């Protein structure tokens, strides 16, 4: 299927590795020019170079922390009028409800709620003016079903979801869609960071911890960044114009719910 987005420009935040990289690769494969971002310049440049070589699209890079106003401004400037925005940032640390201070919550809100909101506010006027735009926020299955040790994520991402629910319906008549893509467990560094403490606590290897977690998922495996990227690219396509304000799970069926 031709997604109809060749020649468009996308900002993909937090995209040197993992799910963000999967989205950047999938969009580039459709001929979309990119602005990629991550804090670590070396990995970012390597990923950008690989995408240029594989897909022949233009890739600008902005290294720096997307939770800062300065880096967000650089990303917006580099895009020069984004058609597509994929919001992403690192996830908050695990713990339990009694662990977290006000500062921990503020940091989680900054990364996983206020930063994507600020970027949406920055690009929406341009997209609405052009009469076309696509925004996908990478959130988490924790929005649909709380992950007990990820209270910071449960909280911040639910706030973002509320903002999107209202805003998506206010901009849809201008040809702009906003949707959230909710990853369940995918084979990335973030999954290792979550599985590591589980392995340590149970006195088992990381591979064994992964294998045990995989058994809890109907697919009996972790998701791949390629699968995730393909779902994101579809939501960014011309064919997804009637999908508005949705929360699409990509979790191998792990969230046990009828709807
Ligand atoms: P990952 O493999 O650790 O990759 C994270 C990417 O984001 C890297 O490119 C990283 O590069 C960049 N990054 C992190 N913080 C950043 C910041 N403040 N500013 C700019 N770039 C930043 O993580 P992932 O698995 O792709 O996860 C992406 C998001 O999905 C996270 O919020 C995570 O919590 C959520 N999620 C993931 C899973 C999963 O199973 N993987 C499941 C549910 C939700 P630098 O470190 O160089 O900045």
């Amino acid at each position: 299927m031709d997604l109809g987005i060749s020649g468009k420009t996308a900002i993909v935040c937090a995209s040197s590795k993992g799910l963000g990289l999967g989205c950047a690769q999938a969009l580039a494969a459709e001929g979309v020019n990119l602005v990629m971002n991550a804090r670590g310049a070396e990995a970012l440049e390597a990923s950008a170079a690989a995408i240029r070589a594989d897909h022949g699209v233009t890739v600008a890079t902005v290294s720096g922390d997307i939770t800062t106003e300065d880096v967000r401004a650089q990303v917006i400037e580099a895009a020069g009028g984004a058609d597509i925005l994929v919001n992403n940032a690192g996830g908050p640390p695990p713990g339990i409800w009694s662990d977290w201070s006000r500062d921990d919550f503020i940091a989680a809100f900054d990364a996983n709620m206020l930063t994507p909101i600020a970027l949406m506010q920055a690009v929406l006027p341009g997209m609405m003016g052009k009469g076309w735009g696509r925004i996908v926020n990478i959130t988490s299955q924790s929005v649909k079903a709380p992950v007990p040790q990820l209270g910071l994520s449960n909280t911040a991402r639910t706030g973002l979801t509320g903002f999107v629910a209202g805003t998506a319906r206010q901009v849809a008549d201008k040809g702009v869609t906003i949707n959230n893509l909710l990853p369940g467990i995918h084979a990335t560094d973030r999954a290792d960071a979550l599985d590591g403490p589980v392995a340590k606590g149970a006195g088992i290897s990381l591979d064994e911890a992964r294998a045990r977690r995989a058994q809890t998922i109907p697919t009996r495996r972790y998701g791949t960044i390629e699968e995730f990227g393909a779902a994101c690219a579809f939501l960014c396509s011309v064919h997804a114009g009637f999908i508005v304000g949705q929360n699409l799970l990509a979790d191998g069926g792990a969230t046990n719910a009828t709807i």
Side-chain angles (χ1 to χ4, degrees), residues 15-16 21 36 43-54 57 59-61:
S15 55
S16 66
L21 177 59
M36 294 175 67
L44 178 63
E45 294 306 334
S47 295
I51 287 178
R52 285 185 202 107
D54 288 348
V57 295
V59 183
T61 55

Side-chain angles (χ1 to χ4, degrees), residues 14 16-17 19 39-40 65-66 88-91 157 183 186 188 190:
S16 66
K17 294 186 301 187
L19 303 178
R39 291 165 302 181
D65 187 338
I66 197 66
N88 187 30
R157 297 188 200 275
H186 284 70
T188 68
R190 169 70 173 172

Side-chain angles (χ1 to χ4, degrees), residues 142-143 145-159:
S142 69
V143 170
V147 180
Q149 71 275 22
L150 291 179
L152 292 172
S153 172
N154 299 339
T155 308
R157 297 188 200 275
T158 305

Side-chain angles (χ1 to χ4, degrees), residues 62-74:
V62 176
S63 61
D65 187 338
I66 197 66
T67 68
T68 66
E69 210 174 322
D70 174 48
V71 171
R72 287 197 294 271
Q74 289 180 50

Side-chain angles (χ1 to χ4, degrees), residues 190-212:
R190 169 70 173 172
D192 286 351
L194 297 175
D195 287 338
V198 172
K200 202 170 163 198
I204 57 175
S205 69
L206 189 58
D207 279 347
E208 180 57 24
R210 286 190 194 116
R212 286 188 191 179

Side-chain angles (χ1 to χ4, degrees), residues 119-193:
L119 284 164
M120 283 189 265
Q121 289 173 324
V123 300
L124 276 169
M127 290 179 176
M128 293 164 77
K130 281 190 283 197
W132 198 92
R134 296 283 183 266
I135 299 176
V136 174
N137 300 297
I138 299 178
T139 64
S140 172
Q141 66 177 3
S142 69
V143 170
K144 292 248 186 189
V147 180
Q149 71 275 22
L150 291 179
L152 292 172
S153 172
N154 299 339
T155 308
R157 297 188 200 275
T158 305
L160 172 62
T161 305
F163 176 83
V164 167
T167 306
R169 290 163 172 91
Q170 292 170 316
V171 302
D173 67 335
K174 300 290 188 293
V176 180
T177 70
I178 314 178
N179 292 287
N180 302 319
L181 192 49
L182 283 54
I185 198 80
H186 284 70
T188 68
D189 288 0
R190 169 70 173 172
D192 286 351

